Amino acid sequence: EVQVVESGGGSFQAGGSLNLSCSISGYPFENFCMTWFRQTPGQEREGVASIHTLGQTYYQRRKKGRFTITQDNAKNAMRLEGDSLELEDSAMYYCAAGAPYGGECPLDAWAMSYWGKGISVAVSS
């Protein structure tokens, strides 16, 4: 059974930083994509950043520069660090796992096979 578990959500100040963690266990293949998505009410789930277990990273263009995705020492774990937080960063953040497509990790929800339950991030002024 594949398990995807997020942690690190909560309340944050605008201009501050966040550090979200995700661990994935039981994935049936050695190499796969680990991806962060976020979603606000009434909006589609959007990809923020992804990391292949071999280390290649992918970012949504508008998020690159403020968000950094890294692998933990445990291969099937990752972190999402965010700086200069904005009110618009408030959302449910989801960790997901899925197969690469053409060797790359698409930032698309349809490409993910397994999802965490999500964690809330609330940014206030």
Side-chain angles (χ1 to χ4, degrees):
E1 180 186 0
V2 178
Q3 292 189 325
V4 180
V5 180
E6 307 103 332
S7 62
S11 298
F12 304 88
Q13 288 290 316
S17 302
L18 63 74
N19 191 330
L20 307 180
S21 297
C22 174
S23 64
I24 300 169
S25 60
Y27 197 88
F29 301 102
E30 181 177 0
N31 294 314
F32 58 97
C33 300
M34 300 180 284
T35 306
W36 282 102
F37 292 83
R38 70 185 194 184
Q39 187 173 27
T40 54
Q43 300 298 313
E44 292 187 358
R45 201 165 290 189
E46 65 168 357
V48 177
S50 183
I51 187 165
H52 194 289
T53 47
L54 294 178
Q56 182 65 37
T57 56
Y58 305 84
Y59 294 91
Q60 190 203 91
R61 189 180 308 171
R62 289 177 297 153
K63 305 295 186 294
K64 192 171 184 178
R66 292 201 301 117
F67 288 88
T68 303
I69 191 169
T70 56
Q71 247 180 325
D72 267 353
N73 289 334
K75 184 179 180 182
N76 293 356
M78 62 163 179
R79 294 181 183 277
L80 180 71
E81 299 176 350
D83 297 317
S84 301
L85 293 175
E86 302 172 354
L87 300 180
E88 291 73 19
D89 292 321
S90 297
M92 285 294 291
Y93 282 70
Y94 297 90
C95 177
Y101 283 80
E104 298 190 341
C105 297
L107 294 172
D108 298 301
W110 58 260
M112 299 296 109
S113 300
Y114 304 96
W115 292 85
K117 295 180 179 180
I119 50 177
S120 175
V121 169
V123 181
S124 60
S125 58

